[in-house]
């Protein structure tokens, strides 16, 4: 089912929980699946959203810097 969704999607919203490091790993894996299956992945909108940002910083497992570093290093640059 996921392969069909990736093949036919017009955009992607990848959501992770800032309180769960495994959730960030999950969206990284999803992005890799998108990149493998879609030759045009650079032309498709891909939005990454952190959920549970309203919780105090003591509950956060993922600093915003980790996500920013991954996004700017791994995701394609806009032309």
């Amino acid at each position: 089912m996921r392969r069909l969704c990736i093949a036919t999607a017009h955009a992607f919203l990848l959501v992770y929980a800032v309180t769960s490091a495994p959730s960030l790993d999950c969206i990284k894996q999803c992005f890799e699946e998108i990149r493998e299956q879609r030759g045009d992945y650079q032309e498709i909108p891909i939005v990454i959203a952190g959920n549970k940002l309203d919780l105090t910083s003591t509950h956060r497992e993922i600093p915003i810097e980790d996500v920013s570093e991954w996004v700017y290093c791994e995701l394609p640059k806009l032309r």
Side-chain angles (χ1 to χ4, degrees):
M1 188 73 168
R2 186 187 310 210
R3 292 182 66 80
L4 177 62
C5 291
I6 290 173
T8 59
H10 298 286
F12 296 95
L13 174 61
L14 304 177
V15 181
Y16 70 97
V18 298
T19 58
S20 170
S23 70
L24 181 61
D25 294 336
C26 184
I27 69 162
K28 287 179 180 181
Q29 180 183 358
C30 289
F31 175 73
E32 284 304 316
E33 289 180 39
I34 293 166
R35 195 156 74 170
E36 290 171 3
Q37 294 179 37
R38 295 289 296 258
D40 62 344
Y41 76 95
Q42 293 177 321
E43 299 163 11
I44 300 169
I46 300 173
V47 177
I48 298 169
N51 192 17
K52 301 184 182 181
L53 287 171
D54 57 324
L55 298 178
T56 62
S57 59
T58 57
H59 290 92
R60 293 184 187 172
E61 289 185 17
I62 305 170
I64 190 67
E65 295 81 17
D66 291 356
V67 179
S68 297
E69 183 178 303
W70 174 69
V71 168
Y72 291 117
C73 293
E74 296 293 327
L75 297 181
K77 307 294 185 257
L78 296 176
R79 294 181 212 158

